[in-house]
Each structure stands twice: as C-alpha cells, then as structure tokens.
C-alpha cells in the first residue's frame, strides 16, 4: 500500500483497535462510508500492516459475535420507551 489509502487504512485500524469500535462507528468518525472502512480494514490493511490487520480482525470478530445482543437490547429499549 502506497500513499494516502495505505495511511488511511492504518489510521482506521489503529482507531478500531484502540476503541473497540464497530465499522459503522469508525465510518462516522472518519466521515467515510462503512463500505470503505470495511474494505480498508479487511483487504487493504492486510498489505499495509499485517500485525495491525490481525488485531483489527479480532476486534471485528468480537463485535460480530456481540451484534445480536446489541440488536436485542436496542429493540427492548425501543419497546420499553413506547410503553411509557
């Protein structure tokens, strides 16, 4: 990876590892689409920094494993708010 794209991948990867954020959260912080973030950290980062790529992959796998729990809690809160 050469240039701005490689640097962006590394910057996003460092942010995800440091904060444990999701792809959507990282996209909002960096002002780019979630598709771009996903491609950056799952494909391009592999060539820019393999060590960081592995760390990001662990965070994303953890987020994926917890996704159904977050979705269930959001739905529960939505309907609790509607009851009031």
């Amino acid at each position: 990876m050469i240039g701005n794209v490689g640097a962006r991948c590394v910057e996003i990867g460092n942010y995800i590892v440091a904060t444990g954020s999701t792809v959507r959260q990282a996209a909002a912080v960096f002002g780019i689409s979630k598709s771009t973030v996903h491609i950056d950290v799952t494909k391009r980062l592999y060539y820019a920094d393999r060590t960081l790529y592995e760390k990001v992959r662990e965070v994303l796998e953890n987020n994926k494993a917890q996704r159904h729990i977050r979705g269930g809690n959001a739905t529960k809160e939505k309907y609790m708010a509607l009851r009031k």
Side-chain angles (χ1 to χ4, degrees):
M1 280 280 108
I2 300 171
N4 292 338
V5 175
R8 181 183 70 205
C9 295
V10 171
E11 186 177 0
I12 293 170
N14 284 325
Y15 176 79
I16 289 174
V17 169
T19 62
S21 69
T22 63
V23 169
R24 281 181 194 252
Q25 292 167 336
V29 168
F30 287 92
I32 55 179
S33 73
K34 65 183 179 76
S35 299
T36 302
V37 171
H38 189 265
I39 290 170
D40 280 354
V41 298
T42 60
K43 295 189 178 165
R44 295 179 182 140
L45 186 59
Y46 180 81
Y47 299 104
D49 186 340
R50 287 200 183 164
T51 305
L52 181 58
Y53 166 81
E54 291 297 330
K55 291 177 185 175
V56 169
R57 198 169 63 109
E58 288 177 19
V59 172
L60 296 180
E61 287 296 322
N62 187 41
N63 288 344
K64 187 175 180 181
Q66 294 175 358
R67 183 172 55 195
H68 69 284
I69 296 169
R70 286 193 306 270
N73 287 338
T75 302
K76 179 181 176 182
E77 290 176 18
K78 172 185 171 184
Y79 287 107
M80 295 295 280
L82 290 175
R83 275 191 188 174
K84 293 181 181 181

